[in-house]
Amino acid sequence: MQKRVSLKDIAEKVGVSTALVSYVLNGKEKEARVSDTAARKIKKVAAEMNYQPNLIARGLKFGKTHTIGLIVADISNPFFAMLARIIELEAQKRGYTVLFGSSDEQLEKSQNLISTFLNRQVDGLIITPVAGSQLQIEALRDKGVPFVLMDRGFRETETNVVVTDNHDAMYNAVTLLIRNGYKKPGIIAYDTTLTHMADRIAGYKDALKDGGIRFNTKWLVKVPYGNYKDDVSTALDRFLDGKNRAVDALVFATNSISVQSLKRLHARGIKVPQDLGVISFDESDVFDFFYAPITYIKQNLQAISENAVQLLMQSIDARNKKYTQVTVPSTIVEGESSNHLG
């Protein structure tokens, strides 16, 4: 393993003191009255020797490493991948580097990532919490670690959190189906107590109520995250089998559920929207290959990311105990899949 280049190594090659090199590489050459010529030479030699600063050591010395940890639920999901990309750019504007991790909705992996990032002396965390991780989040709060929850949170735990207005987004989607003539709209959602899914289901039920449609428990199916593909297919078969189908439209509560459902509908020869109306929560590149343009709820990823980074920076700088909840509105992009042709 190659030895890490130290300030002393650079100082010896340039022929100056280690302190002088430290001043220059920490951007304090003017304060130390280092000449421009000497500063340029030090920076040139540092680059030639591929000097990499020890961020942990620097953090211990100066109180900040200018790194943040980002823990998302599933980096393979385009929704989280795009959020991560925007957060990286927003953090970069503020001089911060982002370390990424994917919890895969697993409690143990979430805790391991939190511990790893804290051991690396990150200045703060942006976290998409997993089900059952409330104690992990409360432990961070009790330790005074700056952090922001993103996309979802917990009812009982007050924290900084940035979320889509999930209730209104789903309410508007189901209202659109009802307005287009659907009488039995169903929903497939993940089985979790996290706020984002609970709010979407509540918005679905409220839209039915305000639309004069009595909720039928058979119209709501919750699938576990770990085995959702098989359970989504089973749910669709249950919805669509028989002469009198249980539903005439479906809202899919996430893009991953949407993609799996569209595959199953295609395999069964179900025509959208002729046989079934469809709306997805979130978009997907897969929609471009489906014969009917899909109606979907478009979340404002830019606003979510910007607010998450801004809240975290405020928490890092002030370290106050005042928590802020930011709710970001969404829009509906209408395609043919929610049109009623009956």
Side-chain angles (χ1 to χ4, degrees):
M1 184 175 178
Q2 190 174 2
K3 178 176 176 282
R4 177 192 286 269
V5 176
S6 68
L7 298 180
K8 184 179 179 181
D9 296 330
I10 298 170
E12 288 177 353
K13 187 163 185 176
V14 178
V16 297
S17 69
T18 304
L20 201 66
V21 174
S22 178
Y23 281 128
V24 172
L25 297 185
N26 283 304
K28 296 183 177 181
E29 60 264 34
K30 290 185 179 179
E31 296 176 25
R33 297 181 181 179
V34 182
S35 69
D36 291 342
T37 302
R40 282 196 297 271
K41 187 174 182 181
I42 289 170
K43 291 176 182 177
K44 183 174 182 291
V45 170
E48 290 172 350
M49 298 180 72
N50 194 28
Y51 169 71
Q52 300 293 326
N54 188 327
L55 295 179
I56 295 178
R58 179 178 289 185
L60 292 172
K61 182 176 180 180
F62 296 103
K64 285 186 181 180
T65 61
H66 286 91
T67 59
I68 61 176
L70 172 62
I71 302 173
V72 296
D74 180 4
I75 199 66
S76 68
N77 186 320
F79 170 75
F80 290 113
M82 185 57 68
L83 278 178
R85 178 59 177 154
I86 300 172
I87 286 171
E88 182 181 35
L89 293 174
E90 289 299 315
Q92 193 174 49
K93 292 177 185 176
R94 295 164 170 82
Y96 274 77
T97 299
V98 180
L99 305 179
F100 298 95
S102 181
S103 68
D104 297 327
E105 302 283 4
Q106 296 176 23
L107 192 60
E108 184 178 357
K109 194 169 182 183
S110 170
Q111 183 58 65
N112 288 340
L113 285 169
I114 289 173
S115 299
T116 298
F117 287 154
L118 292 183
N119 287 336
R120 286 179 174 266
Q121 301 292 322
V122 296
D123 294 336
L125 296 164
I126 297 176
I127 304 171
T128 300
V130 304
S133 65
Q134 190 168 345
L135 291 178
Q136 296 176 7
I137 301 306
E138 290 176 350
L140 287 175
R141 188 186 61 184
D142 294 343
K143 291 176 182 176
V145 175
F147 71 93
V148 176
L149 300 186
M150 180 179 66
D151 182 56
R152 52 183 88 159
F154 303 98
R155 298 264 186 248
E156 306 82 6
T157 304
E158 188 180 11
T159 63
N160 289 320
V161 61
V162 181
V163 294
T164 290
D165 192 334
N166 289 289
H167 178 279
D168 281 9
M170 186 61 78
Y171 180 95
N172 293 334
V174 177
T175 297
L176 173 64
L177 288 173
I178 295 171
R179 189 168 65 241
N180 285 353
Y182 292 98
K183 305 296 183 183
K184 300 185 293 183
I187 182 173
I188 302 179
Y190 280 131
D191 189 7
T192 177
T193 57
L194 288 164
T195 55
H196 68 314
M197 206 57 57
D199 288 343
R200 292 175 194 181
I201 292 172
Y204 161 77
K205 291 180 177 179
D206 286 344
L208 292 181
K209 181 180 178 181
D210 291 347
I213 297 176
R214 178 175 291 181
F215 169 66
N216 187 327
T217 56
K218 294 180 180 179
W219 296 350
L220 167 62
V221 171
K222 297 180 181 181
V223 297
Y225 176 82
N227 195 40
Y228 78 93
K229 291 184 179 180
D230 291 339
D231 287 295
V232 164
S233 296
T234 300
L236 284 170
D237 290 343
R238 198 185 80 190
F239 277 136
L240 302 174
D241 283 343
K243 293 182 179 180
N244 297 318
R245 288 176 175 166
V247 297
D248 57 7
L250 280 170
V251 183
F252 307 123
T254 71
N255 58 0
S256 52
I257 292 176
S258 299
V259 171
Q260 182 62 25
S261 297
L262 293 177
K263 289 179 181 178
R264 185 62 178 171
L265 292 175
H266 179 70
R268 288 199 48 164
I270 303 298
K271 300 297 182 183
V272 175
Q274 292 89 336
D275 300 330
L276 185 76
V278 164
I279 294 182
S280 170
F281 205 111
D282 284 334
E283 56 192 303
S284 171
D285 290 341
V286 174
F287 295 172
D288 294 336
F289 301 99
F290 199 69
Y291 58 84
I294 301 297
T295 298
Y296 63 90
I297 296 165
K298 184 178 180 65
Q299 299 193 67
N300 192 334
L301 304 189
Q302 187 69 40
I304 293 171
S305 302
E306 287 178 357
N307 278 285
V309 173
Q310 182 177 339
L311 267 184
L312 184 60
M313 294 298 111
Q314 291 173 354
S315 183
I316 290 171
D317 292 338
R319 292 187 177 268
N320 56 35
K321 292 297 181 181
K322 184 178 180 182
Y323 299 111
T324 304
Q325 177 170 335
V326 178
T327 304
V328 178
S330 61
T331 56
I332 294 180
V333 178
E334 290 192 47
E336 293 178 7
S337 69
S338 58
N339 292 338
H340 192 268
L341 302 180

